[in-house]
Amino acid sequence: MIHAVMIFNTAGAVRLTKFYTPIPHSLRTSLPKLIFKLVSTRASGLCNFLDAPELQLNWAKNGVEGDETRVVYRCYATLYFVFVVSSEESELGILDLVQVFVESLDRAFENVCELDLVFHFDEVHYILSEVIQGGLVLETNVEEIAVAAKEASKARKTSYASAHPLSLGSVGGVGKNVESLAKNMNLSWFTSGLRR
Amino acid sequence: MEVTFNNSGAINRAHYALVQKIENASSPSLADDAIIQEIDTIRRRFAKAGFTPDSRACREWLLILLHCSMAMTFELPRSDYLEFALPAAVGLAGGGAKLSDRRVGYEFCAAVMPPEHELHLMLVNTFRKDLESRDETHICLALDMLLQVSSSDVVPAIQSRLEDLLSHKSFQVKRRAMATFKTLSRHNPDLLQRTTRKIFKRLRDDVVASSAFSLAAELVKAGMISGIEVGHAAVEVIQKDRSNSQGRRIHSPAVAAIRCVGQLIVIDPNSGEVKSLAEVLIQKCLTSSKSSKIVLECFRALSVTPEPILMMVLSPSSDLQHPVSGIHYMLMSKDPNLHYTFLACLLAIDVKLWVGVDEAIPAQLQENEVHRIMSFLDGSDLTIRRMTIQLLYRVDPAILEAWFSRFIESTPSPTSTTLATCEVYASRALEVSTVLDAENGEAFASRLKVVLQAVQVPHKDAAGKDSPRRGRAHDEGSGAGVNAVLESVVEPVLDRLRESTDEFRKTFVEKTLQDLQESFTGVAAPVPTATVICAAVACEYSQLVTLPPSTVAEGLTNCLATSPGVQEALLIALTKVVAMFDDESSPVAVVTRVEELLKQSRKHMRHRCDQFLRLVKDKAMLKTVVQNAKSQTLPDILLAIEEQFRKLPKPVTSPSSASSRAVSPRGAAGPSALRYDAYDAPGASRRKSQDRHQVRTRRPSQTPSTRSSAAYSEEFQRSPILNGEDPLAQTITPAGLVALAEGDEGLRNFAVGNHIQPGGPSIVSEALASKVDLITLESPFHAEPPTGIAEALKNDIQADPSSGISEESFLQSFDVSWNSIKSTTRGWSESPPATVAGTLQDAGLGFIMAFPSIEAGIKAKDQTFHDNEILGMLLTSDGQISAAIRLRPGEDDSSLWILKCDTLELKSLIKNALQGDG
């Protein structure tokens, strides 16, 4: 099971947190910090997995049930994508899932950048929900996720049009504003920004 | 963040402004303040809008609240802080005009609604309506949210429709429906019965097989379907799968099928099918050796297979190759993830199956491969190192023992290595010790001693004499680690003790304290890190051991000849240990030694020694301190000591404590302080004050729960107040770091609390407030004045008739003018009063100075003059007194000046003269 998905930048600012396991209120802010501490101190040439007893201890201390917990992470340019998973999940599968998630974001936002995650975190949540639901991996095919995201966008437009009959149908889609931003700011890091 | 609103994609101006505030905040606490402010604003908006806010506005507010909850650095004030918006979110989820609005409503509920919240009931009808929809998007939305915010209430309302959805034309719906069944079965296990008819069809549907295998394993576990039948379906999928590359098909049905096979074996390990399943797994492992995901999954499924079956399957008589033969390439690869996979595969199966201890199965690794594995112990990846240690321990603990011995022998001389190198060597050795002595506290204590003695030398041996190290800033050269406290050792050791069993803890503590006692009977004294560990365990666990407190106290006392940071930890531990003494016994030797230390130490340690001696004299107070401590750790005992002394009548104040007024909120100073204008601090005091302010205000700007103890240490050691006056600023000792790193919020909040919430007076500010009004208190100064010049001045005024004023009339005039002039200014000068007086006279302003004689018992009508005070008056041409000044001696040859002058320009001139002196 996937317990949590987190994204933070290299300075430790949290850009997304999604918990699939009910965890105490106090852990919601402390866990990303602890994980950032663990992940950010690792050099770039090391493996992408973290067998973190500290995390397990923290998890157990707060009464969260579950067996061994692992951290799978990947760094893309200025962002860390971190998945906290139980031992029954395949770390290698999750590592590929991180890639799928990032590629899906890139498709949706057209050259995704950190600002997209800041201002469109609801869309990021939506794309994540196409990949993972209730801590279970739902879809791993980037094409399928892109299609689902497009269909959802279309459905939103339809529902908007039905709710506002006089509208011209120009509802902002994913990445509408950010398209120009990414180009202007030259933050299209995805294609060239893979650290590993 | 330089992005315009139009380019940002923010949902509205408020969202944009909030993000700007958060991103541009100079500290996390300021960002949090902005967030809390925004939440409160939205709370008011919701309250104003009532129960039916506009759908668009509601969506935007909820999104901003979600953003706020995600961006908070610290905890929200309460766990239900955002629940005020739940009714609106439930309303939006059910009645939003647009699908995106409804999704936001659902998302908010998923993120904020607690599991058993009463509003779950309100969502039931919404779920049901969405599931009944013909629109696939609506169905998916409802299923997505059911997976996140499900409750037992929803099951009866949707179970029938959910069953139908297993046959929906959309695979997206089918996958979600199966996942929802699995999730809802936690609330109602009988619900799974509804899936038994359709599950086998889904198992053979490639597109949804992954979800189906996951559900099928639950059904077998619940005894609702046959494991054999599921096993056959799984084998079919595994054999059909042709992925033997690191392709992009991530969660192929094969991976789910292999996992399902593993679960089937766990459910019934004695089934006749297990052998054939194991063979399929091994076969798959060999044919898909390039797909590390499949290989690892196979090894993990094999790990639950009974050992006799595996021995049989892997014996040379079997036709199958050994699965390890397919993964050799991973070991020799340069990809660290493949190293991880290789080690994970070997860790998954019993060592007998590959190490060659059993004649039936030969060794699977060549010598060079074993060397390669051993080389991982020296690698920089902690994850890989930990796995390697585990693996080698399983193969033979003697391998690790031998490695440990060689490692200790190869440790460079402590006097020729840097602190960082010492830390690396010690922590690497400790990683191995943790596994080797996992169950034996005594052995762990012994090994720890060996490790520390290899990387450090006892304090006195390091330089041949006591040479207290002042801080990490200096700890960069060779030999720097000799006397430093290695935090990378202290923290893990204390963590380990807290997590371990009582027996482990007891044996560790007994051995550690015994060693401490014995180390002074001929063997070298303990090294600094060991001393801090001894102090910490003596403080926290000495009640667990059979050693009498007097023996423990003796051991700790013997260590006192060390650096101040360690001495402080020892004194705190001694406080706790002495509290355990019988009422009749008296720690004479300890008191004597601490009294000696008091004489030798600098100000901070003198303060600690003084506290200790006062506590020992008053046993009732000592016991109160220990009882009041939140826990028996060093930082909590220290906190209790400080708390106790804060309650006592305040000690005499000093100029330096007065200078701390600069960091005290004005409001906290009390009404008396308002009678006077703030006085200027002298140069040095001002600098100290500023530095202290920086240190204190910097902390909240960082993140307490994420900051490493090293960072605290650095701050502590760089702090200009290391030897200063404020005991609170000095609580972050190497020993204290341990608990700080452990998240001792109490101590951190204690140290920084005043600055996180500047609005409210804190303990610190109250304590300072009681010291600030120096003018109205009895003289706090007892230092001998530099009488030479003062006496001369006194003689001058008494003997010099040219001034035209006798001593008596001078004092009477002074008294009258002092009471009549309203405007008061004060400040500190670094020079003694006599020098300041000389400066004022030299300034050409025409000051007449006087040194009131004690013998005369001078008491004017309303004013009492203090001993050793110098008084000064400035007469106008018409004989009026335009200014009066009092110069009081302070510590360290400084002086406090209090000036009364109603003329602004004149006051400015005098101040300039005084500051020129400082």
PDB file of all heavy atoms in Angstrom, chain A residues 24-35:
ATOM      1  N   PRO A  24      -2.164  10.867  12.452  1.00  0.00           N
ATOM      2  CA  PRO A  24      -2.494  11.953  13.375  1.00  0.00           C
ATOM      3  C   PRO A  24      -2.129  13.321  12.798  1.00  0.00           C
ATOM      4  O   PRO A  24      -1.225  13.445  11.970  1.00  0.00           O
ATOM      5  CB  PRO A  24      -1.648  11.659  14.615  1.00  0.00           C
ATOM      6  CG  PRO A  24      -1.227  10.261  14.476  1.00  0.00           C
ATOM      7  CD  PRO A  24      -1.208   9.939  13.034  1.00  0.00           C
ATOM      8  N   HIS A  25      -2.847  14.278  13.285  1.00  0.00           N
ATOM      9  CA  HIS A  25      -2.684  15.660  12.854  1.00  0.00           C
ATOM     10  C   HIS A  25      -1.219  16.111  12.949  1.00  0.00           C
ATOM     11  O   HIS A  25      -0.681  16.736  12.035  1.00  0.00           O
ATOM     12  CB  HIS A  25      -3.582  16.494  13.771  1.00  0.00           C
ATOM     13  CG  HIS A  25      -3.515  17.950  13.542  1.00  0.00           C
ATOM     14  ND1 HIS A  25      -3.883  18.516  12.351  1.00  0.00           N
ATOM     15  CD2 HIS A  25      -3.123  18.956  14.348  1.00  0.00           C
ATOM     16  CE1 HIS A  25      -3.718  19.809  12.445  1.00  0.00           C
ATOM     17  NE2 HIS A  25      -3.260  20.101  13.635  1.00  0.00           N
ATOM     18  N   SER A  26      -0.581  15.735  14.061  1.00  0.00           N
ATOM     19  CA  SER A  26       0.785  16.215  14.297  1.00  0.00           C
ATOM     20  C   SER A  26       1.761  15.686  13.249  1.00  0.00           C
ATOM     21  O   SER A  26       2.738  16.348  12.905  1.00  0.00           O
ATOM     22  CB  SER A  26       1.255  15.803  15.687  1.00  0.00           C
ATOM     23  OG  SER A  26       1.142  14.406  15.815  1.00  0.00           O
ATOM     24  N   LEU A  27       1.488  14.472  12.742  1.00  0.00           N
ATOM     25  CA  LEU A  27       2.417  13.884  11.776  1.00  0.00           C
ATOM     26  C   LEU A  27       2.324  14.540  10.398  1.00  0.00           C
ATOM     27  O   LEU A  27       3.249  14.444   9.606  1.00  0.00           O
ATOM     28  CB  LEU A  27       2.119  12.398  11.625  1.00  0.00           C
ATOM     29  CG  LEU A  27       2.901  11.422  12.497  1.00  0.00           C
ATOM     30  CD1 LEU A  27       2.584   9.998  12.100  1.00  0.00           C
ATOM     31  CD2 LEU A  27       4.390  11.644  12.378  1.00  0.00           C
ATOM     32  N   ARG A  28       1.225  15.158  10.129  1.00  0.00           N
ATOM     33  CA  ARG A  28       1.018  15.712   8.786  1.00  0.00           C
ATOM     34  C   ARG A  28       2.039  16.787   8.439  1.00  0.00           C
ATOM     35  O   ARG A  28       2.377  16.967   7.274  1.00  0.00           O
ATOM     36  CB  ARG A  28      -0.386  16.276   8.648  1.00  0.00           C
ATOM     37  CG  ARG A  28      -1.401  15.170   8.567  1.00  0.00           C
ATOM     38  CD  ARG A  28      -2.793  15.663   8.309  1.00  0.00           C
ATOM     39  NE  ARG A  28      -3.656  14.513   8.084  1.00  0.00           N
ATOM     40  CZ  ARG A  28      -4.272  14.250   6.937  1.00  0.00           C
ATOM     41  NH1 ARG A  28      -4.146  15.053   5.919  1.00  0.00           N
ATOM     42  NH2 ARG A  28      -5.021  13.175   6.815  1.00  0.00           N
ATOM     43  N   THR A  29       2.481  17.492   9.451  1.00  0.00           N
ATOM     44  CA  THR A  29       3.502  18.501   9.162  1.00  0.00           C
ATOM     45  C   THR A  29       4.906  17.990   9.497  1.00  0.00           C
ATOM     46  O   THR A  29       5.870  18.397   8.863  1.00  0.00           O
ATOM     47  CB  THR A  29       3.244  19.800   9.951  1.00  0.00           C
ATOM     48  OG1 THR A  29       2.919  19.462  11.286  1.00  0.00           O
ATOM     49  CG2 THR A  29       2.125  20.598   9.345  1.00  0.00           C
ATOM     50  N   SER A  30       4.987  17.098  10.474  1.00  0.00           N
ATOM     51  CA  SER A  30       6.330  16.664  10.877  1.00  0.00           C
ATOM     52  C   SER A  30       6.903  15.606   9.930  1.00  0.00           C
ATOM     53  O   SER A  30       8.112  15.539   9.729  1.00  0.00           O
ATOM     54  CB  SER A  30       6.322  16.141  12.313  1.00  0.00           C
ATOM     55  OG  SER A  30       5.539  14.977  12.396  1.00  0.00           O
ATOM     56  N   LEU A  31       6.027  14.803   9.342  1.00  0.00           N
ATOM     57  CA  LEU A  31       6.521  13.733   8.472  1.00  0.00           C
ATOM     58  C   LEU A  31       7.261  14.259   7.236  1.00  0.00           C
ATOM     59  O   LEU A  31       8.363  13.794   6.938  1.00  0.00           O
ATOM     60  CB  LEU A  31       5.349  12.835   8.058  1.00  0.00           C
ATOM     61  CG  LEU A  31       5.717  11.422   7.676  1.00  0.00           C
ATOM     62  CD1 LEU A  31       6.358  10.681   8.822  1.00  0.00           C
ATOM     63  CD2 LEU A  31       4.492  10.669   7.185  1.00  0.00           C
ATOM     64  N   PRO A  32       6.676  15.224   6.511  1.00  0.00           N
ATOM     65  CA  PRO A  32       7.429  15.749   5.372  1.00  0.00           C
ATOM     66  C   PRO A  32       8.796  16.309   5.776  1.00  0.00           C
ATOM     67  O   PRO A  32       9.773  16.158   5.050  1.00  0.00           O
ATOM     68  CB  PRO A  32       6.526  16.868   4.826  1.00  0.00           C
ATOM     69  CG  PRO A  32       5.160  16.496   5.258  1.00  0.00           C
ATOM     70  CD  PRO A  32       5.333  15.830   6.591  1.00  0.00           C
ATOM     71  N   LYS A  33       8.851  16.923   6.952  1.00  0.00           N
ATOM     72  CA  LYS A  33      10.136  17.482   7.406  1.00  0.00           C
ATOM     73  C   LYS A  33      11.139  16.367   7.649  1.00  0.00           C
ATOM     74  O   LYS A  33      12.304  16.459   7.260  1.00  0.00           O
ATOM     75  CB  LYS A  33       9.940  18.265   8.699  1.00  0.00           C
ATOM     76  CG  LYS A  33       9.228  19.570   8.520  1.00  0.00           C
ATOM     77  CD  LYS A  33       9.014  20.200   9.872  1.00  0.00           C
ATOM     78  CE  LYS A  33       7.952  21.259   9.824  1.00  0.00           C
ATOM     79  NZ  LYS A  33       7.447  21.605  11.136  1.00  0.00           N
ATOM     80  N   LEU A  34      10.672  15.321   8.319  1.00  0.00           N
ATOM     81  CA  LEU A  34      11.568  14.207   8.626  1.00  0.00           C
ATOM     82  C   LEU A  34      12.061  13.563   7.332  1.00  0.00           C
ATOM     83  O   LEU A  34      13.259  13.285   7.182  1.00  0.00           O
ATOM     84  CB  LEU A  34      10.819  13.182   9.492  1.00  0.00           C
ATOM     85  CG  LEU A  34      11.561  11.894   9.799  1.00  0.00           C
ATOM     86  CD1 LEU A  34      12.806  12.151  10.624  1.00  0.00           C
ATOM     87  CD2 LEU A  34      10.660  10.918  10.553  1.00  0.00           C
ATOM     88  N   ILE A  35      11.135  13.364   6.407  1.00  0.00           N
ATOM     89  CA  ILE A  35      11.523  12.720   5.149  1.00  0.00           C
ATOM     90  C   ILE A  35      12.453  13.621   4.351  1.00  0.00           C
ATOM     91  O   ILE A  35      13.429  13.158   3.770  1.00  0.00           O
ATOM     92  CB  ILE A  35      10.264  12.334   4.337  1.00  0.00           C
ATOM     93  CG1 ILE A  35       9.542  11.219   5.082  1.00  0.00           C
ATOM     94  CG2 ILE A  35      10.634  11.883   2.936  1.00  0.00           C
ATOM     95  CD1 ILE A  35       8.249  10.794   4.475  1.00  0.00           C
TER      96      ILE A  35
END
